[in-house]
Amino acid sequence: MMANTDSRVTIHMAASLDGFIARKDGRVDWLETSDEFAGGDTLDPGFVETFLKMIDCYVMGSRTYETALSFEAQGLGWSYGDKPTFVLTSRDLPRTRDTIEFYSGDLAQVVNGHLRPRFRTIWFVGGGVVSGECLRLRLADEVRYSILPILIGDGIPFFERRDRDIAPHLAEVRAYKSSMVELCYEVRGGRGSNGTPPNQPLPFRQAQGPELVEG
C-alpha cells in the first residue's frame, strides 16, 4: 500500500509552562488549573465535538495508553471515542476495546505503510519518546502544543530523542479563557523530503492482540 499524499500527521499534547507532559511517575494531576484569561476564547462543546470528528485515528505510546486506562477506571471515560487507536509498545498490555491495535517495528513503516494509506488525519497524542521519534524521522506535518498555566519543576518532557535542530513555522496562536494557549506549528520538509536520511529508528515489532509478532 502507498502512503496517502493527502494524509496529515499531527503531534498534539498538553504541557506545563516549563515543558512537561507528566510528572516523572506519569501523574497528570496538574492538568486542572484555575487561572482565567478574560480576553480568551471559550471552548464551545459543539465546536470541540465537530473538531474531534475530523480526527480519523490516534497514535500513542504505552505510558499514555496506561494513563488513558487509569482515567477510564476512575470513571472519567475513554478519551478517544470509537476512533481507531494505535498503541506503540513491545509490552503485553490489556486490550480493552476492539478499536485498539498494538504495534511495534519500524515507526516510519507503521506510519507510512500502515496508517497513511488508511487515514487522512492521524493524531499522535503522547508521549515524549514517541513524539520525539516522530519528529526525528520527519513523519509529522504539524505540532499542536497546548500550554497550561502551571510550572511543575520536573517531569517527562514534551519531546525526547532530538538529535538535531528543528525549526517549525508558527501557523496559528489561540488563547482561551482557561489561560491555556495553543500553538500550531507546521513542520516543513517532513516525510524525508530534504533528502537527508534519518538515523536508525527505534526497534518496534508489530503486535496483534496479546501476541507480539516479528514484522
Side-chain angles (χ1 to χ4, degrees), residues 19 25 50 192 194 208:
D25 60 4
T50 300
N194 64 1
Q208 298 179 348

Side-chain angles (χ1 to χ4, degrees), residues 123-199:
W123 274 48
F124 276 70
V125 292
V129 172
V130 170
S131 298
E133 187 72 355
C134 185
L135 270 181
R136 192 175 69 86
L137 295 174
R138 303 182 182 90
L139 301 173
D141 299 295
E142 69 174 4
V143 176
R144 289 184 175 266
Y145 192 173
S146 297
I147 303 174
L148 276 67
I150 188 170
L151 295 95
I152 64 175
D154 193 12
I156 300 171
F158 194 108
F159 292 111
E160 297 183 11
R161 289 184 58 87
R162 296 188 306 273
D163 55 2
R164 61 185 175 88
D165 290 347
I166 298 173
H169 167 67
L170 181 62
E172 185 180 359
V173 178
R174 286 190 178 182
Y176 295 93
K177 289 188 181 299
S178 64
S179 291
M180 180 182 75
V181 177
E182 184 177 71
L183 309 176
C184 180
Y185 291 93
E186 294 178 356
V187 182
R188 295 174 171 175
R191 310 190 198 185
S193 62
N194 64 1
T196 303
N199 293 336

Side-chain angles (χ1 to χ4, degrees), residues 28-34 148:
V28 289
D29 53 298
W30 48 271
L31 284 174
E32 294 293 332
T33 58
S34 58
L148 276 67

